């Protein structure tokens, strides 16, 4: 059975928002280094396979497609260094935020894991995994970065992410770039397992897109230096079965890009300290409800998701509006004021640009002929003739009907 995938504009926009932060970074594909292969123990000649024992012609295409690990090759591939300074990164972030109608960051987040830490806000059910998978392909296409680590909050989500990465592989290879053109590359993913450390060597040696998926519990126990857990002892100790190397050193040598899926469910000092031990190039956070705010570059809130029919239904008993950005024509009729001495007025909740340059939610009284665009401080969403008319607010779709 084959699955067919549909790509929406907001998914491309979210990927572009992240990638555009690094505008000006040169494409550096296949940056190599001499990797630590560890101490090799001699093997008895009697136990060594014949030189061509595994060279089966019929299997060569499959081996080439899957990649081949050569234990004798000390060549490794890592993410190229980020060459943009903080000033250029902040300028790029502000450009992206202006384009998205987001509040501009006055400065870079002060304690990033890597050179910068970016937030992508997406409502639950709108395809975060698909979006950050596309983002990985785009980062590789534009800048050559190929090493990624995805941290998820639970085993169930870990399995779902791993399955999604596997299922979308052919789609992104053939058509995932713009619907008619693919990336022409495969993404190789695996779940971190402290009992199978040899997979880390392939992660380090391969020049292909490599993705390691790890769940929060394993991450927190593994990344607690001097911890008593078995996983912590493994990742921070020189293992005889791993060439007397520390697994953390093999991973961090690639300077991976960290992707945190639902970071608000992780939190804690253990996770944050653990991320830094990976020596990440930078960190991306994907969530509908960020607990710790970093530099926000894309937001698809609940109202946007509903207006774009990305979610079927929103049912609430009272609600709070967060991060309304003015990208959609949000209007809410609170009341109609009727008096003997004047025409009816509408009390409307809407988005407004504050004097501090932030998009806030406010309410006010509107008379016939009043322009919502003017009242909002000039938000683009209300530009096209949103005026109070005798029979409603125009254009049609949202209106106040006088009785």
């Amino acid at each position: 059975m084959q699955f067919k995938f549909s790509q929406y504009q907001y998914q491309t926009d979210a990927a572009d928002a992240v990638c555009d932060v690094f505008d000006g970074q040169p494409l550096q594909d296949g940056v190599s280094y001499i990797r630590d292969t560890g101490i090799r123990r001699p093997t008895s000649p009697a136990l060594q396979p014949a030189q061509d024992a595994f060279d089966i012609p019929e299997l060569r295409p499959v081996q080439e497609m899957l990649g081949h690990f050569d234990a004798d090759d000390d060549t490794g591939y890592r993410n190229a260094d980020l060459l943009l300074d903080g000033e250029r990164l902040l300028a790029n972030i502000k450009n992206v935020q202006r384009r998205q109608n987001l509040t501009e960051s006055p400065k870079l987040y002060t304690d990033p894991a890597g050179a910068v830490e970016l937030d992508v806000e997406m409502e639950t059910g709108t395809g975060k995994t698909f979006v950050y998978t596309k983002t990985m392909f785009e980062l590789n296409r534009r800048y050559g970065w190929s090493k990624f680590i995805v941290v998820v909050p639970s085993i169930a989500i870990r399995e779902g992410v791993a399955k999604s990465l596997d299922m979308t592989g052919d789609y992104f290879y053939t058509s995932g770039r713009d619907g008619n053109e693919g990336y022409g590359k495969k993404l190789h993913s695996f779940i971190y397992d402290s009992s199978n450390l040899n997979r880390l060597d392939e992660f380090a040696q391969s020049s292909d897109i490599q993705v390691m998926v790890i769940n929060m519990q394993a991450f927190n126990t593994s990344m607690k230096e001097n911890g008593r857990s078995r996983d912590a002892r493994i990742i921070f100790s020189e293992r005889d079965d791993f060439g007397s190397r520390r697994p953390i050193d093999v991973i961090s040598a690639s300077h991976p890009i960290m992707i945190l899926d639902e970071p608000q469910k992780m939190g804690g000092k253990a996770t944050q300290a653990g991320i830094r031990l990976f020596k990440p190039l930078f960190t991306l956070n994907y969530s509908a409800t960020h607990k710790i705010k970093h530099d926000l570059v894309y937001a698809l809130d609940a109202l946007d998701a509903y207006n774009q029919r990305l979610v079927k239904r929103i049912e609430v008993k009272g609600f709070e509006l967060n991060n309304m950005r003015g990208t959609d024509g949000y209007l809410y009729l609170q009341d109609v004021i009727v008096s003997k001495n004047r025409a009816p007025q509408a009390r409307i909740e809407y988005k407004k640009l504050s004097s501090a340059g932030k998009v806030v939610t406010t309410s006010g009284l509107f008379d016939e002929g009043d322009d919502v665009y003017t009242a909002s401080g000039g938000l683009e969403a209300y530009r096209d003739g949103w005026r109070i008319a005798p029979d409603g607010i125009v254009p049609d779709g949202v209106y106040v009907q006088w009785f």
Side-chain angles (χ1 to χ4, degrees):
M1 180 175 64
Q2 277 191 330
F3 290 89
K4 292 185 178 180
F5 298 92
S6 297
Q7 191 166 168
Y8 298 92
Q9 185 59 46
Y10 76 90
Q11 295 169 327
T12 298
D13 293 343
D16 286 343
V18 170
C19 295
D20 289 349
V21 168
F22 307 101
D23 184 44
Q25 169 77 13
L27 172 62
Q28 294 177 279
D29 199 3
V31 176
S32 63
Y33 69 100
I34 299 176
R35 67 184 185 87
D36 181 6
T37 57
I39 299 174
R40 304 290 302 279
R41 287 177 172 75
T43 304
S44 171
L47 298 177
Q48 291 182 348
Q51 183 176 357
D52 298 326
F54 300 105
D55 185 15
I56 304 174
E58 292 80 1
L59 296 180
R60 285 174 189 165
V62 178
Q63 291 169 340
E64 291 173 1
M65 180 183 69
L66 296 177
H68 177 65
F69 170 66
D70 184 355
D72 294 320
D73 186 357
D74 65 359
T75 302
Y77 292 92
R78 63 174 178 83
N79 286 332
D81 294 336
L82 183 59
L83 301 182
L84 307 183
D85 59 19
E87 183 178 354
R88 177 62 184 272
L89 285 171
L90 181 59
N92 286 348
I93 288 172
K94 287 183 176 181
N95 286 337
V96 171
Q97 290 169 333
R98 282 193 292 268
R99 189 175 73 208
Q100 300 292 336
N101 241 334
L102 299 170
T103 301
E104 292 184 26
S105 299
K107 59 181 180 180
L108 290 178
Y109 179 69
T110 56
D111 190 24
V116 68
E117 193 156 356
L118 307 176
D119 288 347
V120 175
E121 180 182 306
M122 295 185 65
E123 189 64 22
T124 301
T126 55
K128 291 193 300 296
T129 306
F130 187 95
V131 167
Y132 62 67
T133 302
K134 179 176 176 61
T135 302
M136 287 188 274
F137 276 101
E138 270 297 306
L139 288 171
N140 177 261
R141 182 183 72 85
R142 297 191 194 187
Y143 310 115
W145 293 322
S146 61
K147 302 299 173 74
F148 302 88
I149 296 178
V150 179
V151 186
V152 297
S154 68
I155 293 175
I157 295 178
R158 182 195 70 187
E159 297 300 320
V161 168
K163 187 66 174 177
S164 176
L165 292 173
D166 180 60
M167 290 174 58
T168 56
D170 289 339
Y171 170 76
F172 283 109
Y173 185 90
T174 58
S175 59
R177 182 175 166 186
D178 61 5
N180 298 315
E181 183 179 0
Y183 289 95
K185 286 190 175 182
K186 288 286 187 178
L187 179 151
H188 304 278
S189 62
F190 68 103
I191 294 174
Y192 171 77
D193 183 355
S194 60
S195 63
N196 183 23
L197 297 175
N198 290 329
R199 183 61 180 83
L200 300 180
D201 274 319
E202 185 178 342
F203 179 83
Q205 188 185 75
S206 175
S207 60
D208 297 327
I209 302 175
Q210 289 281 333
V211 183
M212 184 175 86
V213 184
I214 184 170
N215 61 288
M216 179 193 65
Q217 293 89 341
F219 185 89
N220 286 346
T221 56
S222 296
M223 301 310 298
K224 190 174 182 180
E225 194 162 11
N226 299 321
R228 297 181 178 179
S229 73
R230 175 180 176 274
D231 286 336
R233 291 196 304 271
I234 288 176
I235 203 165
F236 285 107
S237 63
E238 295 181 351
R239 310 294 300 170
D240 288 340
D241 57 352
F242 196 53
S244 297
R245 296 171 296 171
R246 299 197 319 162
I248 183 61
D249 295 332
V250 174
I251 299 171
S252 63
S254 67
H255 297 298
I257 294 168
M258 302 295 296
I259 296 175
L260 273 60
D261 190 332
E262 303 289 347
Q264 79 282 359
K265 297 180 181 178
M266 304 173 198
K269 295 182 179 179
T271 303
Q272 297 304 315
I275 291 171
R276 286 166 177 77
L277 292 172
F278 278 127
K279 298 180 182 178
L281 197 65
F282 55 84
T283 298
L284 307 176
N285 300 287
Y286 289 79
S287 175
T289 53
H290 291 283
K291 185 176 180 180
I292 300 175
K293 307 291 186 181
H294 308 93
D295 292 304
L296 182 67
V297 294
Y298 183 82
L300 181 79
D301 58 37
L303 186 63
D304 292 340
Y306 180 72
N307 287 340
Q308 295 184 39
R309 298 185 178 182
L310 304 176
V311 292
K312 290 184 178 180
R313 183 177 181 183
I314 299 176
E315 183 175 344
V316 294
K317 294 182 179 179
F319 57 90
E320 179 182 358
L321 295 173
N322 294 312
N323 196 39
M324 295 289 118
R325 305 177 310 287
T327 54
D328 293 283
Y330 169 71
L331 294 170
Y332 175 68
L333 176 63
Q334 293 180 323
D335 197 7
V336 175
I337 310 299
V338 180
S339 65
K340 295 181 179 179
N341 302 323
R342 61 176 304 159
Q345 292 178 297
R347 184 182 299 278
I348 298 173
E349 188 172 75
Y350 61 101
K351 301 177 188 180
K352 181 179 181 179
L353 189 65
S354 71
S355 58
K358 295 183 178 180
V359 177
V360 298
T361 302
T362 187
S363 63
L365 292 174
F366 288 80
D367 294 309
E368 180 182 343
D370 286 349
D371 188 353
V372 182
Y373 175 72
T374 301
S376 72
L379 287 183
E380 191 66 24
Y382 304 116
R383 178 183 291 276
D384 297 326
W386 292 83
R387 295 178 180 274
I388 310 302
D391 57 350
I393 300 177
V394 292
D396 58 358
V398 181
Y399 61 91
V400 178
Q401 178 69 53
W402 305 125
F403 294 95

